[in-house]
Amino acid sequence: MHLIKNQSCFKFMAEECTQDTFVAARQQLVKLKHHPNVKGWLYLTARNLIYKSFRCYYTQRKHETTLECEKICGFSNSVEEEWENQKLEDVDTVIVSILTQLSNIEYTLYQDYFCQQLPVSFLADKYNISVTATTTRIYRLKRKIRTLSHQYCLTHI
């Protein structure tokens, strides 16, 4: 409670961290039996867990937005309804629109990995690059397709 400055809104965090501290202590029981300062170990573990929880909490809050109840009630119940309400094009047309924005090399990799489902080791040999470089290219391709999809939805919905 001292670490959360006795703020009642963070009491749940203190309880969770206390429980996690004793779970960690249980996992380290063999080492703690011979530890010269168990009380200090427990305090440092609890403090580190509290600080980690605060970082996660504030990072999460930084990326969250609040909505008024009227706005929430105005949303439709499913994605399918949104697609119907917006009268978006056929899904195949959307996919083609997104994939045409890829470069020739990216599109070839897309065809090989996602459509033909070729293994990464085979693709590494085909493109004459390492397996690590191949997985990196696949990761970047996924990220680019995701970004293009979000941009498409933002401009068409």
Side-chain angles (χ1 to χ4, degrees):
M1 291 301 288
H2 169 72
L3 292 174
I4 63 168
K5 298 178 176 65
N6 290 325
Q7 298 178 45
S8 60
C9 61
F10 293 122
K11 187 176 180 183
F12 71 94
M13 189 183 298
E15 291 171 353
E16 286 291 321
C17 290
T18 303
Q19 183 177 5
D20 291 344
T21 299
F22 286 104
V23 168
R26 175 67 178 114
Q27 292 172 346
Q28 299 291 326
L29 190 59
V30 174
K31 292 180 183 178
L32 286 177
K33 285 182 180 179
H34 306 292
H35 195 279
N37 186 4
V38 176
K39 184 178 175 182
W41 185 93
L42 287 170
Y43 178 79
L44 285 177
T45 303
R47 186 185 71 180
N48 290 338
L49 287 171
I50 286 285
Y51 290 162
K52 180 181 176 186
S53 295
F54 269 119
R55 281 192 304 274
C56 292
Y57 176 78
Y58 284 115
T59 301
Q60 179 184 2
R61 298 256 317 175
K62 183 171 92 174
H63 297 290
E64 286 181 346
T65 58
T66 57
L67 295 172
E68 293 87 29
C69 185
E70 297 82 29
K71 288 183 180 179
I72 294 172
C73 294
F75 289 144
S76 59
N77 293 333
S78 68
V79 174
E80 291 83 11
E81 288 179 20
E82 283 296 322
W83 281 80
E84 290 297 321
N85 291 340
Q86 297 297 328
K87 295 181 176 48
L88 286 177
E89 305 139 44
D90 185 29
V91 173
D92 293 334
T93 309
V94 173
I95 292 170
V96 168
S97 173
I98 291 169
L99 293 179
T100 54
Q101 297 178 49
L102 298 176
S103 69
N104 290 337
I105 296 170
E106 292 170 334
Y107 185 74
T108 305
L109 180 60
Y110 169 80
Q111 286 289 329
D112 290 342
Y113 184 74
F114 292 105
C115 298
Q116 296 178 15
Q117 298 179 346
L118 298 175
V120 174
S121 58
F122 181 80
L123 292 174
D125 292 337
K126 179 180 178 180
Y127 295 115
N128 199 22
I129 56 176
S130 69
V131 173
T132 307
T134 306
T135 55
T136 301
R137 286 185 183 182
I138 291 169
Y139 170 77
R140 289 178 181 161
L141 179 61
K142 286 180 187 178
R143 189 174 62 194
K144 184 173 183 178
I145 291 172
R146 188 180 312 118
T147 302
L148 292 172
S149 302
H150 287 296
Q151 289 173 350
Y152 185 89
C153 289
L154 289 174
T155 58
H156 290 86
I157 292 183

